[in-house]
Structure formats: C-alpha cells, structure tokens
Amino acid sequence: MYFAILGVALLPLIIGLLNGKRLYWYGTLVSFIFLVLIFDGNKIHQGIALIGYGIYEVLLSWLYLRYRTNSKNKNSTPLFVLAVVLAIAPLVVVKMTPLFSPNPSLLGFLGISYLTFKVVGYIMETRDGVIKTFDAVKYIQFLFFFPTISSGPIDRYRRFVKDYDSVPSREKYLELMGKGFHNIMLGFFYKFLLGYLFGTLLLPQVAHLAMISRGGFLDISWGLVGYMYVYSCYLFFDFAGYSLFAIGVSYFMGIETPINFNKPAIAHNVKDFWNRWHMTLSFWFRDYIYMRFVFFAMKHKLFKSRITTANVGYILLFLIMGFWHGETWYYIAYGIFHACAMILTDAWIRFKKRHKGMFPSNKFTYAMAVFFTFNTVCFSFLIFSGFLDTLWFH
C-alpha cells in the first residue's frame, strides 16, 4: 500500500523529469506529506521532536556559516568544536537517556542519528571552506529528504545539491528509473522474502536450540553457531533491503543517493569489509572522525609512530561507533572487536609487504581470506546481536 501511494504521488515529478523539468515545489510537497505519514498516529510526538530538532540544527548551521563568513578569525578551533558539540548534543541526550530513565527521551525521533551525521558533516565542510554560502531551502531539503531520513544512506550536502540543482537528460533519467525499479524489486526480495525467512522463520528456531543446549560460560553449541549465521544473514538482508528501497525511490526523484552495500560477503579482510558494509556510515566515520583524528595527532605529534597513531584512531573510531549503537557491553565489545581486527589486518598487510614471496597469492588463498573474513564478521555480529547477553546472563 505504501509503495502504491508513493507511486501515484511521484507520478507528476516523474513526468516533469522526463520532460526536462524538476518540479521543486511538488517534490517539497511530496516529502512533507510522506514525513507526515511516517510520523503520524502514535509517532506524533516524534514528529514534533523532529520539527524542533530541525529548527535548532538549521539555525546552528546558519550561525556557524555566518560566523565563518563575517569573522576575521575564520578558523577558531574553540568555536568550531562548540558548533560540533552543540550539533551532536540532542543525539547524545537521546542516547544517554536510557541510562537514567526507562522512558525514551522526548527529543528522540526515528532517524535522529542520520540527520545528526548530516549536520556535523555540513559544519565540518563549512570549517574546511568548501561550503561558503547558506541556502536554507536546499539545506532543509537535504536534511529532510524523506526516502533516507529514517535509516540512511547518509548523503553529503554538496553531492545532494549537485543533483538537486540539475535535471538529468531524458536518457539519463530513464536509466535512473530502470535502476530505481531494479533496486526496489531487489529490496522486496531481500527484506520481505529473505529477511522474513532468516529473521522470522529461522532465527527463533536456532535461538531456541541454542537456549536448550547451553551449558557453561564458554559453551558452544550448534544452535549458537546457527544463530550466528542466521542473524548475520537477517541483519544484511533486512538492512540492505531497506537501503535499496531508499535508493530506488531517490532515483525516481532524480537524486542519485549513494549505495550502502557492495557485496560485503566477498570482502577479503576486515578493512575491505568496511569499504563494502553500510558504506555511507563507514565512510562518514572514516572521513569525519578517523582521518581528522589522525591529522590532528600527526600535526601535534601526539605519538612517535604513524602505526601507533593509526591504531589509536581505530580504537577511538570503533569505540564511538559502539557507543553510538548503545551503552551496553555487547555494542562496546563489538566496537573493540572490530578495532582489534583492523589493527591486526594492518599488521598482517605490513608483514606480507616485508616478506614478499613468502605467501602465495592465488584464487585459493583469496578464497581462504574471504572465508576467514566472513566468519570473523559473522562472529562480530553475534556479539552485536546481544544474544550472548541473553544466553549467558539471563
């Protein structure tokens, strides 16, 4: 029903794009209507929180760009840090509220994390000098682009505006429509068939098998192994399916939202995995946290070795990612696990470079690397799932 309504609603926009015109006012109206549908009924309080959040973040972004434009000291680090802190403050409040109250924060709404990432990226690019003018209409369109508002993919302001300001040629738009339809159909297959198979039919069965066969703290049963693989498949197909919906609808609206998954199951190491899994999030963390920390550490010579700098950056990066998912031990352990995996991956790559010719490079060794990486990632998802907490401590 949702996609039927959406198809009818997008029809005038599609006709306009096919004829070389982007109906800006109509696109805004469609986004508004579907945001209302997303946050109606028992989610009305989230809709109110979204409006308040939007006003706050838009004003903050405008004030910081205004300061950058008019101030003589354009690169004031304290004010930049203050702007970033103020931008993430609502998200921090929402994430920390469960530690102090059983009730969710009044500031929370579906998609607050992804909107915050967009805002912080905008402020950082303003600091870098690549964003020099503030266009409130385009910025609001960017933040509240409804296909991606709840779960991404996370777009970048300049990339979004480049699409928003242009109209694709008829041939290009027909190609986008074909890709959009393909993504939506593949999304149905992933989310509602494979996601249902793994998440609804198989996951409770293997969870029950693991529970009845559990023993000591370090006990490993076939049920637990089954849970690890089934949950990993469910997580991918459910999330990738939704991402395909968002990307497909974006294409019909003439916006080439970046892809979120690129065959992560064939990654040959953990670093390659993060270049394929939830790509817009991992690239955001890489560009705005890891790279900036490394640059800061090297500039101020915090560590003697570049290797140490990179390793500390990994730990910082994945700890933040773990805490962002939640303040429970298994999310934090998930972050530490991947930080250690990245450190070991870099060490292994350096070792192979120093000992060229010692290790063969062929299809067999590549397949073994893919197999080992896949199982490593699946184990990390077992930690992430929180099932071990249920199995061992409840």
Side-chain angles (χ1 to χ4, degrees):
M1 180 62 69
Y2 174 84
F3 279 97
I5 296 172
L6 180 62
V8 173
L10 291 182
L11 195 57
L13 194 64
I14 293 170
I15 293 173
L17 288 168
L18 284 172
N19 287 278
K21 297 180 180 179
R22 184 181 291 276
L23 305 179
Y24 290 103
W25 67 269
Y26 186 76
T28 301
L29 177 63
V30 170
S31 287
F32 174 77
I33 290 173
F34 277 86
L35 285 175
V36 170
L37 292 177
I38 291 172
F39 294 102
D40 69 345
N42 61 356
K43 293 183 179 178
I44 185 68
H45 63 284
Q46 292 190 36
I48 295 172
L50 172 67
I51 294 171
Y53 173 91
I55 294 172
Y56 170 79
E57 296 289 9
V58 170
L59 283 175
L60 176 64
S61 301
W62 172 72
L63 286 171
Y64 182 69
L65 194 144
R66 183 180 174 86
Y67 151 76
R68 285 274 309 172
T69 303
N70 299 327
S71 174
K72 294 181 179 179
N73 184 17
K74 298 180 182 296
N75 293 316
S76 172
T77 299
L79 283 177
F80 165 68
V81 172
L82 177 62
V84 172
V85 169
L86 290 175
I88 66 173
L91 177 61
V92 172
V93 171
V94 170
K95 291 293 184 178
M96 297 299 290
T97 295
L99 293 177
F100 306 101
S101 171
N103 299 316
S105 171
L106 295 176
L107 300 179
F109 58 87
L110 186 67
I112 186 172
S113 292
Y114 297 98
L115 262 66
T116 301
F117 294 149
K118 287 183 175 181
V119 172
V120 172
Y122 182 91
I123 291 174
M124 288 189 173
E125 291 191 354
T126 300
R127 157 80 168 190
D128 295 339
V130 295
I131 296 176
K132 300 178 180 179
T133 58
F134 183 81
D135 188 315
V137 173
K138 292 178 183 178
Y139 189 49
I140 291 172
Q141 292 281 0
F142 163 69
L143 287 183
F144 302 109
F145 186 55
F146 85 90
T148 63
I149 193 168
S150 62
S151 298
I154 306 168
D155 210 343
R156 308 286 176 97
Y157 177 75
R158 289 183 298 152
R159 201 223 61 77
F160 176 87
V161 168
K162 184 179 179 181
D163 284 356
Y164 185 77
D165 282 344
S166 63
V167 178
S169 66
R170 186 181 182 88
E171 293 74 19
K172 174 68 174 178
Y173 184 61
L174 286 172
E175 181 183 345
L176 283 178
M177 289 179 65
K179 290 180 179 179
F181 184 76
H182 171 80
N183 285 335
I184 291 173
M185 291 299 101
L186 187 60
F188 272 107
F189 179 64
Y190 275 14
K191 187 172 179 64
F192 295 120
L193 292 178
L194 295 179
Y196 177 79
L197 170 66
F198 287 105
T200 303
L201 298 182
L202 295 180
L203 198 61
Q205 299 297 324
V206 291
H208 177 70
L209 181 61
M211 292 295 290
I212 63 175
S213 60
R214 63 180 173 176
F217 183 79
L218 297 178
D219 175 66
I220 299 177
S221 67
W222 285 113
L224 184 59
V225 173
Y227 187 94
M228 178 180 78
Y229 289 121
V230 170
Y231 177 80
S232 297
C233 292
Y234 162 69
L235 187 66
F236 168 73
F237 288 119
D238 184 74
F239 197 9
Y242 177 84
S243 294
L244 287 168
F245 288 151
I247 294 167
V249 173
S250 299
Y251 284 1
F252 275 101
M253 297 179 73
I255 303 294
E256 292 188 71
T257 295
I259 63 172
N260 229 7
F261 296 89
N262 181 23
K263 302 176 182 177
I266 64 171
H268 62 275
N269 59 46
V270 172
K271 183 174 288 188
D272 185 33
F273 168 78
W274 281 109
N275 286 328
R276 295 171 177 272
W277 175 272
H278 204 347
M279 295 158 60
T280 58
L281 176 69
S282 63
F283 293 166
W284 190 96
F285 272 90
R286 179 198 66 191
D287 295 343
Y288 296 123
I289 296 179
Y290 177 80
M291 295 302 297
R292 290 173 188 266
F293 167 80
V294 168
F295 175 78
F296 176 85
M298 294 180 66
K299 180 180 178 180
H300 296 276
K301 300 180 180 179
L302 298 183
F303 309 101
K304 294 181 180 180
S305 168
R306 289 188 176 184
I307 295 174
T308 303
T309 301
N311 291 345
V312 173
Y314 287 141
I315 294 171
L316 175 67
L317 170 68
F318 284 101
L319 271 178
I320 292 174
M321 187 180 289
F323 275 106
W324 167 66
H325 280 104
E327 300 77 27
T328 54
W329 72 264
Y330 42 87
Y331 289 138
I332 298 167
Y334 169 80
I336 294 173
F337 180 91
H338 271 282
C340 293
M342 291 287 280
I343 292 170
L344 290 173
T345 298
D346 274 0
W348 174 245
I349 292 173
R350 290 193 301 271
F351 181 82
K352 287 200 301 181
K353 286 183 178 179
R354 290 195 304 267
H355 300 84
K356 291 182 179 180
M358 181 180 293
F359 303 97
S361 179
N362 51 49
K363 291 182 179 180
F364 176 75
T365 56
Y366 185 85
M368 289 299 296
V370 170
F371 176 79
F372 182 77
T373 302
F374 178 78
N375 282 276
T376 300
V377 169
C378 286
F379 180 73
S380 75
F381 287 153
L382 175 62
I383 299 172
F384 177 86
S385 71
F387 184 67
L388 295 178
D389 186 66
T390 301
L391 191 67
W392 290 339
F393 303 117
H394 298 283

